[in-house]
């Protein structure tokens, strides 16, 4: 059940952007951990296989940054060890862990974005905001499979008449260039046909309209409301400095007051919204089925 | 905007984003803690991108130019699949040089955006879009000298490889350490040196190989069908 | 009131003295289905483009074009885009966007129609054309015929009054072409939409048309009902080669009174002539000779998980013969050529080339010397900016095929006509001096004179000792020129023999002439064979 993935693209985009943005503005390890935890759990639940390569990358980056920062960064007042006249400080390590968590959270948000926001979703959003760019993207995306197939065809034809071969590396490079050059001529010449076809159907006479729509449902409204509420609250707290943490020279955590816990709750809710939403949908289907 | 003479309009279209971004940066730095450099840089690039793209959106680039731009985007995306040496920047430079500054930026930015759907989106996407876009834009602005002198073009290819690496390293350092300390930046540049060399040399190589055929083919299209 | 009236239209491209159109005049009544035909380069495309303001070429133009007594050039922007639909030759290149729905919406979005209206129109149009199930499919996954149907539907979404089509079926196989034309006929019959269609292969089109325009050297030489035009057409007009088989048959018989266009009418005409006097002899079985290419129980698949493309293929091609492989789409015809050219190895069975069994290691070098392939799309071979450079790139003498390239030397290969491109590609392909020449759909998109010229060139190569293996959908070409034919079905040979044997025994997948002669004249599969049976001359 991927109810979250079927939401209105604008809602999903806003939700994931807010998560990524708040992670970027946040310097508190607990909040970052919460954000990362929510989104990581959702990716594990729904997109484990599709995001296989992301796990490695995100956790690797986390480790790398956490370890590299104390090695490079000499700020901080509490020395842990001295390597080669280089002081490794506790504060630098703490900052590294925070930066690693932030990176991992943003990476997972982006990975989820790539999975949930398909090509159609992105093009839909672009069509409504920047129609001309959307058309350019749509055309470029159409050219991709076309050119791949055409490249294979040309290569085959050139191999068959013995003009190129793939025996040595040099052969392959010169052959590739030859094929590329033919592909280029073909693309440019036939691009003119496409331009004619566009103009014949009235392209460029005035403002274009957009046919594609996604219905904005009650679910979208709920999700949007939740996102705006939690995201707004969290961003507000972050920007006003309620959750600011000082790392250098001495680590000073944010004051644990109502505001801080409020921001924490908002972060938790925001990042666990997809799981809650899918759970709600599962429950609904469960009820429907048991009624039959 | 109609009333303005075209060079002025051009300056505004390119100048405003370039001005707006440093201003955002200044604002961000004065307002926030030092470790929010990364966010402010990201904001800045995002804003610059939006302004540039809005400029392109407003202006009519013509059907043919648009098709040629999308062909270049598709070619560059396919070129990114090649191992190690990639013709992406070379193609973006050529697009900027022959199709104009705006289209150059468009090709650069959209190549980064669309190809990252294959290679993974991340917080680096806006930065990559901006870096490639700027390289295409610069090539478009210097189109005349670049077209006249092959040597200059190859030089620009080498330079843009280095520039690209330097721009992306700013990003790496900021993201990892929160601040742009000269030490860290130098270290990042050093670690990335092999890649910088590969970028610069592959740009050089691909420009050497592609500049002439692409130029000839576009010249024919321009002559026969008009742009 | 005429829907379209063209009066004394004269046109020349800028900086060219030669006028492309000279004093063209014709009238299209609402609801007519007009076919425009003429030799390549007679100005058909220019004329059609001039009728559509968005596409009209720049140049000196005089005369009038009146669309319901208004000039389309005076319309507000957008009106002509909507009222005049235009479908071009290349199925793939006309598609703009990446999905079917977006493509259907494209035209209406350009006109700025409200979204609800666009969606409603897409829904009903897609349902009418039977493409509703394609929905969100990517346009790149459609076949050529499907793409052309999508182009037609996308144009029809704008509900034009006049539909102009410039050789829409030239790049399609006969089955897809028939489907496309049937859709056109349905549109014409159901909605009374006016259609103006340029075509050079008239076999399937002419029976549908109620008006025929014949262009000769930039002017409309004949116009009227097809039967009337055919009776007016002089005996030696080159256009006869493009006419439907039945019409050509009537022409051979010197019968100008009845003008049969379809196989049914052709059979009726033959029935009126009674029994043939000179029955053709039973064709002798082809002489078995030394096989130069031989597949024995060959199997091919492209990926290990895929299904077999060639499945126990047993095929022998004899030295110095012309062998034609026919068969439907996906029968594995092209795959046979790919194995012969050494691009893919058979994973089981054997392939013998010139008496040598091909092993995987020996494959490349040996086959490149002796076997060469003319690809289906010859533009995959053009690398350079001029014909002269192409010839130099091929290390080929310009006179290899006895074709004089001198006037074309400075031209770009893409500016040549289809037939000339084919010959240029053939010159490049033959530069390695092969003994076996493989041809993949060599007649695709060619008009009748170009086909005849290609056939003459190929016959000469055959006389010089070359073996030809052709894959084609064009059964008439196979029947007229091949020494032996084979029918491929699901990766194996289903039938084989001389054209006369093959096409006279096959009831469905055969030439129009064989269908006309079926049951009356045994073993006659070409127009000239039928004419000979009645003691008439072959082709005029």
């Amino acid at each position: 059940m991927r109810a979250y993935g079927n939401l209105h693209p604008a809602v999903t985009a806003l939700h994931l952007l807010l998560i990524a943005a708040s992670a970027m503005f946040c310097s508190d390890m607990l909040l970052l951990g919460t954000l990362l935890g929510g989104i990581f759990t959702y990716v594990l639940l729904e997109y484990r296989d599709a995001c296989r390569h992301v796990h490695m990358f995100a956790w690797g980056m986390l480790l790398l940054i956490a370890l590299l920062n104390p090695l490079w960064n000499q700020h901080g007042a509490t020395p842990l060890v001295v390597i080669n006249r280089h002081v490794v400080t506790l504060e630098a390590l703490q900052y590294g862990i925070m930066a690693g968590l932030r990176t991992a959270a943003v990476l997972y948000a982006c990975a989820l974005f790539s999975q949930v926001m398909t090509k159609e979703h992105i093009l839909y959003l672009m069509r409504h905001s920047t129609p001309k760019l959307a058309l350019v993207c749509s055309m470029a995306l159409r050219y991709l499979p076309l050119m791949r197939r055409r490249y294979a065809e040309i290569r085959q034809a050139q191999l068959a008449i013995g003009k190129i071969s793939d025996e040595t590396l040099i052969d392959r490079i010169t052959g590739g260039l030859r094929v590329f050059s033919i592909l280029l001529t073909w693309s440019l010449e036939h691009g003119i046909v496409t331009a004619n076809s566009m103009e014949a159907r009235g392209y460029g006479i005035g403002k274009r309209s957009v046919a594609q729509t996604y219905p904005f449902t009650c679910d979208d409204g709920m999700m949007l409301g939740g996102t705006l509420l939690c995201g707004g609250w969290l961003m507000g707290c972050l920007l006003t400095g309620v959750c600011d943490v000082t790392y250098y020279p001495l680590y000073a955590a944010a004051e644990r007051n109502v505001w801080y816990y409020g921001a924490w709750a908002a972060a938790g809710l925001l990042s666990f919204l997809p799981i809650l939403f899918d759970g709600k949908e599962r429950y609904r289907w469960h009820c429907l089925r048991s009624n039959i | 905007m109609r009333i303005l003479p075209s060079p002025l309009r051009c300056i505004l279209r390119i100048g405003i984003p370039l001005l707006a971004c440093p201003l955002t940066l200044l604002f961000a730095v004065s307002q926030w803690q030092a470790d929010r450099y990364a966010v402010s840089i990201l904001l800045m690039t995002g804003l610059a991108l939006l302004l540039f793209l809005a400029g392109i959106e407003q202006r009519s680039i013509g059907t043919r130019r648009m098709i040629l731009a999308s062909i270049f985007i598709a070619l560059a995306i396919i070129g990114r699949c090649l191992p190690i040496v990639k013709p992406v920047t070379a193609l973006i430079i050529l697009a900027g040089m022959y199709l104009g500054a705006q289209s150059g930026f468009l090709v650069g930015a959209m190549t980064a955006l669309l190809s990252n759907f294959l290679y993974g989106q991340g917080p680096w996407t806006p930065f990559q879009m901006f870096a490639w876009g700027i390289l295409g834009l610069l090539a478009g602005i210097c189109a005349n000298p670049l077209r006249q002198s092959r040597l200059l073009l190859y030089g620009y290819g080498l330079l843009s490889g280095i520039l690209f690496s330097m721009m992306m390293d700013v990003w790496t350092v900021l993201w990892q350490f929160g601040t742009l300390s000269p030490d860290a930046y130098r270290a990042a540049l050093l670690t990335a040196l092999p890649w910088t060399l590969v970028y610069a040399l592959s740009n050089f190589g691909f420009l050497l190989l592609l500049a002439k055929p692409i130029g000839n083919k576009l010249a024919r299209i321009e002559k026969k069908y008009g742009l | 009131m005429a829907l379209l009236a063209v009066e004394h239209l004269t046109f020349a491209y800028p900086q060219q003295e030669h006028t492309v159109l000279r004093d063209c005049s014709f009238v299209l009544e609402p609801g007519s289905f007009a076919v425009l035909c003429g030799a390549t380069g007679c100005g058909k495309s220019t004329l059609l483009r001039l009728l559509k303001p968005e596409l009209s070429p720049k140049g000196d133009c005089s005369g009038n074009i009146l669309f319901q007594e208004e000039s389309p050039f005076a319309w507000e922007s957008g009106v002509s885009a909507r009222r005049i639909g235009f479908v071009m030759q290349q199925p793939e290149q006309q598609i703009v966007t990446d999905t079917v729905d977006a493509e259907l919406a494209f035209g209406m979005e350009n006109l700025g129609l409200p979204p609800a209206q666009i969606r409603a129109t897409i829904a009903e149009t897609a349902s009418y054309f039977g493409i509703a199930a394609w929905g969100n499919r990517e346009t790149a996954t459609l076949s050529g015929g499907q793409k052309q149907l999508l182009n037609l539907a996308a144009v029809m979404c704008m509900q034009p009054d006049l539909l102009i089509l410039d050789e829409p079926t030239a790049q399609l196989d006969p089955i897809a072409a028939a489907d496309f034309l049937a859709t056109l006929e349905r549109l014409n019959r159901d909605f009374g939409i006016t259609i103006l269609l340029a075509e050079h292969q008239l076999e399937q089109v002419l029976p549908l048309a109620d008006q025929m325009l014949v262009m000769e050297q930039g002017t409309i030489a004949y116009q009227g009902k097809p039967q009337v035009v055919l009776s007016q057409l002089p005996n030696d007009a080159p256009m006869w080669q493009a006419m439907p088989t039945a019409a050509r048959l009537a022409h051979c018989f010197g019968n100008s009174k009845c003008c049969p266009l379809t196989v049914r009418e052709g059979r009726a005409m033959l029935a009126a002539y009674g029994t043939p006097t000179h029955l053709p002899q039973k064709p002798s079985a082809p002489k078995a000779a030394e096989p130069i290419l031989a597949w024995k129980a060959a199997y091919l698949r492209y990926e290990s998980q895929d299904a077999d493309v060639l499945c126990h293929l047993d095929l022998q091609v004899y030295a110095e013969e012309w062998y034609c492989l026919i068969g439907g789409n996906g029968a594995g015809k092209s795959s046979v050529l790919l194995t012969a050219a050494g691009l893919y190895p058979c994973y089981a069975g054997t392939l013998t080339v010139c008496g040598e069994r091909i092993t995987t290691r020996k494959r490349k070098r040996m086959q490149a010397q002796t076997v060469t392939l003319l690809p289906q799309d010859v533009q995959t071979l053009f690398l350079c900016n001029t014909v002269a450079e192409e010839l130099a790139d091929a290390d080929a003498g310009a006179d290899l095929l006895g074709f004089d390239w001198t006037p074309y030397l400075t031209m770009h290969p893409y500016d040549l006509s289809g037939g000339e491109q084919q010959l240029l590609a053939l010159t490049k392909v033959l530069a390695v001096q092969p003994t076996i020449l493989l041809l993949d759909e060599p007649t695709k998109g060619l008009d009748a004179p170009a086909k005849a010229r290609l056939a003459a060139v190929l016959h000469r190569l055959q006389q010089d000792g070359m073996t030809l293996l052709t894959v084609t959908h064009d059964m008439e070409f196979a029947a007229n020129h091949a020494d032996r034919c084979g029918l491929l079905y699901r990766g194996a040979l289903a039938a084989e023999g001389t054209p006369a044997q093959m096409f006279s025994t096959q009831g469905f997948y055969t030439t129009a002439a064989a269908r006309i002669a079926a049951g009356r004249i045994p073993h006659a599969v070409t127009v000239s064979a039928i004419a000979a049976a009645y003691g008439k001359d072959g082709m005029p």
Side-chain angles (χ1 to χ4, degrees):
Chain A
M1 187 70 53
R2 287 175 180 178
Y4 176 70
N6 296 329
L7 285 170
H8 193 278
V11 177
T12 342
L14 181 74
H15 178 246
L16 287 171
L17 279 180
L18 266 178
I19 289 186
S22 42
M24 278 186 242
F25 275 102
C26 185
S27 54
D28 184 86
M29 278 188 259
L30 181 63
L31 291 187
L32 280 172
T34 313
L35 284 172
L36 174 63
I39 209 126
F40 174 63
T41 319
Y42 186 67
V43 168
L44 266 195
L45 282 176
E46 296 292 345
Y47 296 96
R48 183 190 302 194
D49 293 340
C51 294
R52 214 176 307 123
H53 55 283
V54 181
H55 300 312
M56 201 55 171
F57 186 55
W59 295 108
M61 282 298 276
L62 198 161
L63 266 182
L64 194 75
I65 294 177
L67 293 179
L68 271 185
N69 192 57
L71 288 183
W72 284 117
N73 220 325
Q74 309 233 15
H75 303 290
T78 324
L80 288 177
V81 274
V82 178
I83 306 168
N84 228 352
R85 275 187 297 162
H86 189 105
V87 190
V88 175
T89 65
L90 176 66
E91 285 77 15
L93 185 64
Q94 282 168 323
Y95 186 87
I97 292 171
M98 187 278 293
L101 284 174
R102 177 193 280 170
T103 307
V106 173
L107 280 178
Y108 269 110
C110 288
L112 189 55
F113 188 87
S114 298
Q115 290 302 320
V116 177
M117 299 291 284
T118 56
K119 219 172 63 187
E120 282 78 40
H121 286 139
I122 299 276
L123 280 178
Y124 166 78
L125 289 182
M126 285 178 78
R127 276 189 191 122
H128 279 276
S129 50
T130 53
K132 204 177 286 168
L133 290 183
L135 191 61
V136 171
C137 286
S138 182
M139 289 193 296
L141 287 173
R142 187 185 75 90
Y143 272 117
L144 283 182
L146 216 65
M147 283 182 178
R148 289 226 174 86
R149 205 183 57 217
R150 189 69 189 175
Y151 189 91
E153 266 174 37
I154 297 172
R155 201 174 149 265
Q156 211 164 60
Q158 294 287 326
L159 277 172
I161 61 167
K163 278 285 171 192
I164 62 173
S165 79
D166 45 10
E167 281 174 17
T168 66
L169 187 66
I170 301 288
D171 281 351
R172 258 186 238 163
I173 293 173
T174 51
L177 275 172
R178 197 181 158 92
V179 174
F180 179 83
S181 183
I182 298 173
L183 176 69
L184 190 70
T185 313
W186 177 82
S187 311
L188 295 179
E189 295 282 335
H190 286 260
I192 298 302
V193 179
T194 313
N196 282 338
S197 154
M198 286 170 73
E199 279 165 5
R201 284 188 276 159
Y203 180 75
I205 55 171
K207 198 166 161 41
R208 303 188 74 223
S209 58
V210 185
Q212 192 191 16
T213 53
Y214 275 89
F216 193 85
T217 60
C218 185
D219 282 353
D220 294 321
M222 276 162 51
M223 187 72 186
L224 182 65
T227 306
L228 284 178
L229 213 68
C230 301
W233 178 263
L234 180 60
M235 281 305 274
C237 289
L238 289 173
L239 288 179
T240 48
V242 179
C243 314
D244 274 1
V245 181
T246 318
Y247 285 89
Y248 306 121
L250 264 176
Y251 177 79
E255 198 187 330
R256 298 284 193 266
N257 53 18
V258 183
W259 297 104
Y260 177 83
Y261 286 114
W264 185 36
L269 207 55
L270 187 67
S271 61
F272 281 92
L273 261 181
I275 300 174
L276 292 176
F277 197 78
D278 278 17
K280 187 206 81 151
E281 203 69 355
R282 242 188 223 117
Y283 178 70
R284 183 197 281 176
W285 277 99
H286 177 76
C287 292
L288 279 176
R289 207 177 296 144
S290 53
N291 283 348
I292 295 170
Chain B
M1 288 296 266
R2 276 286 151 76
I3 320 149
L4 297 172
S6 75
L8 187 59
R9 231 189 302 162
C10 184
I11 290 170
L12 279 180
R13 203 177 295 119
I14 294 167
I16 288 181
L18 286 179
L19 260 179
C21 306
L23 286 180
T24 331
L25 187 63
L26 274 179
F27 171 76
V29 171
S30 62
Q31 291 292 308
W32 294 325
Q33 290 179 338
D35 74 306
R36 289 202 181 130
Y37 272 121
V39 189
S40 24
I41 293 263
L42 196 66
L43 269 181
M44 174 192 106
T45 42
L47 191 68
L49 268 177
L50 284 182
L51 285 170
F52 268 117
L53 295 178
I56 293 172
E57 187 67 39
Q58 284 306 311
R59 194 172 161 231
S60 112
I61 25 175
T63 317
R64 272 143 217 219
R65 210 179 283 262
M66 214 165 95
I67 297 232
L68 294 183
S70 62
I71 288 175
F72 269 98
I73 295 172
L75 285 174
I77 295 174
I78 292 176
R80 229 185 139 184
C81 305
L82 289 182
I84 307 168
V85 283
K86 294 165 195 290
V88 185
T89 315
L91 283 169
I92 291 168
I93 292 173
L94 289 171
M97 190 168 115
Y98 288 109
L99 303 180
Q102 302 264 327
S103 309
F105 188 87
L106 181 72
V107 170
M110 290 297 129
T111 301
L113 180 70
L114 293 180
S115 65
N116 277 358
F117 275 105
L118 304 174
Y119 296 93
Q121 300 283 4
W124 54 81
T125 304
F127 216 76
Q128 221 169 17
M129 285 170 75
F130 188 72
W132 266 330
I134 284 289
L135 291 179
L137 183 91
L138 283 180
I141 292 173
C142 317
N144 276 336
L146 288 182
R147 278 194 209 199
Q148 273 152 19
S149 154
R150 270 289 132 74
L151 274 181
L152 220 56
L153 178 64
Y154 302 145
Y156 182 69
L158 281 173
L159 184 72
S160 59
I162 298 166
L163 276 178
F164 182 75
S165 197
M166 283 170 73
M167 281 196 257
M168 292 313 284
D169 279 341
V170 170
W171 166 248
T172 321
V173 170
L174 278 173
W175 186 258
Q176 287 187 10
F177 306 116
T179 49
L180 190 65
S181 72
D183 277 348
Y185 187 53
R186 214 173 301 136
L189 279 183
L190 267 179
T191 8
L193 192 65
W195 285 110
T196 314
L197 276 179
V198 169
Y199 289 150
L201 288 179
S202 60
N203 287 350
F204 176 76
F206 277 110
L207 281 177
L208 194 73
L209 294 168
L210 297 180
K212 198 170 159 231
I214 289 188
N216 285 344
K217 279 163 198 188
L218 280 173
R220 170 183 142 78
I221 296 285
E222 209 165 349
K223 199 173 129 212
K224 189 168 174 211
Y225 304 100
L227 273 185
Chain C
M1 186 176 69
L3 182 86
L4 179 76
V6 173
E7 295 162 355
H8 310 292
L9 192 66
T10 301
F11 180 83
Y13 282 102
Q15 287 135 25
Q16 280 183 12
E17 284 177 20
H18 166 72
T19 50
V20 186
L21 299 178
R22 286 183 294 116
D23 201 22
C24 274
S25 301
F26 66 92
V27 168
L28 278 189
E29 295 300 329
S32 58
F33 190 135
V35 169
L36 174 68
C37 56
T40 303
C42 70
K44 287 196 302 271
S45 290
T46 312
L47 175 61
L48 293 185
R49 272 160 194 268
L50 278 171
L51 300 178
K52 171 97 179 156
E54 285 86 357
L55 299 179
S56 72
K58 290 185 182 63
D60 296 332
C61 184
S62 65
N64 280 325
I65 298 169
L66 291 177
F67 194 95
Q68 290 184 334
E69 300 182 351
E70 299 169 61
S71 166
F73 289 87
W75 284 341
E76 287 177 48
S77 64
V79 177
S80 67
R82 193 186 67 71
R83 294 187 68 181
I84 305 177
F86 201 101
V87 177
M88 291 174 258
Q89 192 187 109
Q90 303 89 339
E92 200 165 72
Q93 309 312 326
Q94 286 178 76
I95 296 179
V96 179
T97 58
D98 56 339
T99 59
V100 172
D101 272 346
E103 185 65 23
L104 289 174
F106 180 75
M108 290 181 285
E109 288 179 338
N110 289 336
L111 298 178
L113 298 181
Q117 188 189 339
I118 298 181
R119 283 198 303 279
T121 314
I122 291 177
E124 58 140 348
T125 316
S127 306
Y128 179 83
F129 281 91
I131 59 177
W134 297 354
N136 251 358
R137 257 177 87 174
E138 294 206 0
T139 48
T141 60
L142 302 175
S143 73
Q146 289 173 326
K147 279 179 183 147
Q148 198 64 310
L149 198 61
L150 173 64
N151 287 322
L152 180 63
V155 166
M156 287 310 295
C157 272
M158 301 170 79
Q159 293 156 350
D161 299 322
L162 169 67
L163 189 57
I164 300 176
L165 302 105
D166 191 359
E167 303 191 0
T169 60
Q171 303 296 325
L172 307 185
D173 65 77
I175 308 284
D179 283 349
F180 185 83
L181 291 173
T183 311
L184 276 186
E185 194 208 1
R186 203 150 63 100
L187 286 174
N188 180 250
R189 205 181 49 214
D190 293 359
F191 306 105
I193 183 171
T194 316
I195 292 176
L196 176 57
L197 175 94
E199 194 57 85
H200 52 58
Q201 183 54 50
L202 301 172
E203 180 80 47
Q204 297 176 4
V205 185
L206 211 53
L208 309 178
D210 58 12
Q211 203 182 0
M212 183 176 180
L213 308 165
V214 181
M215 265 187 106
E216 271 174 14
Q217 288 159 359
T219 190
I220 304 277
Y222 306 94
Q223 62 175 308
K225 289 210 166 298
Q227 284 85 354
V228 178
V229 170
L230 286 179
S231 62
Q232 288 171 347
L233 213 58
N235 273 336
D236 55 347
M239 274 316 295
W240 275 112
Q241 293 177 27
M243 293 300 160
T245 313
R248 268 185 294 153
L249 203 56
H251 180 238
C252 287
F253 280 57
N255 185 343
S256 62
K257 265 177 261 145
C258 92
C259 271
L261 297 177
T262 60
V263 167
R264 187 178 58 194
E265 291 162 1
R267 285 182 68 86
M269 184 189 78
L270 273 199
Y273 274 94
T275 41
T277 44
H278 309 65
L279 275 182
Q281 290 181 346
K282 191 173 187 295
S284 51
K287 273 180 288 176
E290 184 71 12
I292 193 165
L293 262 175
W295 287 260
K296 206 155 183 232
Y299 284 82
L300 170 75
R301 58 173 71 167
Y302 292 114
E303 302 284 341
S304 56
Q305 301 91 345
D306 286 0
D308 284 332
V309 187
L310 297 183
C311 188
H312 205 83
L313 175 72
D314 282 307
L315 172 65
Q316 291 190 328
V317 179
Y318 305 140
E320 299 182 24
E321 78 165 342
W322 186 342
Y323 194 101
C324 266
L325 266 181
I326 58 171
N329 279 330
K333 301 192 300 294
S334 297
S335 306
V336 174
L337 295 191
L338 293 181
T339 51
L343 293 170
Y344 290 98
C346 298
Y347 76 86
T350 57
L351 167 62
T352 322
V353 179
C354 299
E356 268 196 81
R357 206 179 132 177
I358 300 300
T359 56
T360 320
R361 197 179 301 155
K362 241 187 338 189
R363 187 164 52 97
K364 286 173 195 158
R365 209 160 294 142
M366 208 212 92
Q367 267 166 305
Q369 296 291 319
T370 49
V371 190
T372 184
L373 168 69
L374 181 73
Q376 190 175 126
D377 189 340
V378 293
Q379 289 181 343
T380 51
L381 297 176
F382 297 147
L383 176 73
C384 310
N385 286 322
T386 62
V387 172
E389 288 171 42
E390 287 292 349
L391 293 172
D393 174 65
D395 303 320
D399 55 345
L400 200 64
L401 298 174
F403 186 80
D404 184 16
W405 287 110
T406 328
Y408 303 102
L409 284 178
T410 57
M411 281 171 77
H412 193 277
Y414 278 69
D415 291 340
L416 299 176
S417 74
E420 290 154 1
Q421 286 190 11
Q422 199 85 22
L423 287 184
L424 180 61
L426 200 54
T427 313
K428 287 195 82 168
V429 162
L430 291 176
V432 288
Q433 297 180 324
T435 47
I436 303 167
L437 175 61
L438 313 168
L439 302 107
D440 196 354
E441 302 276 3
T443 59
K444 196 176 186 179
L446 298 193
D447 62 355
K451 256 186 224 178
R453 190 168 57 188
L454 179 72
V457 165
L458 292 179
H459 275 302
R460 243 200 45 223
L461 289 174
Q462 192 192 358
Q463 275 162 18
D464 293 347
M466 199 174 284
T467 309
L468 305 172
L469 172 57
T470 308
V471 153
T472 186
H473 279 297
D474 188 342
M475 274 168 284
E476 191 160 345
F477 187 74
N480 276 317
H481 303 295
D483 296 320
R484 283 195 308 148
C485 293
L487 173 67
L488 210 62
Y489 180 65
R490 292 171 61 180
L493 210 55
E496 196 182 37
T498 61
Q501 279 176 334
M502 276 269 295
F503 291 116
S504 58
T505 48
Q506 282 174 200
F508 291 100
Y509 205 69
T510 181
T511 61
R515 279 178 273 157
I516 290 177
R520 192 169 302 278
I521 318 159
H523 313 302
V525 295
T526 58
V527 171
S528 44
I530 299 177
Y534 285 94
K536 308 279 193 225
D537 253 354
M539 271 308 286

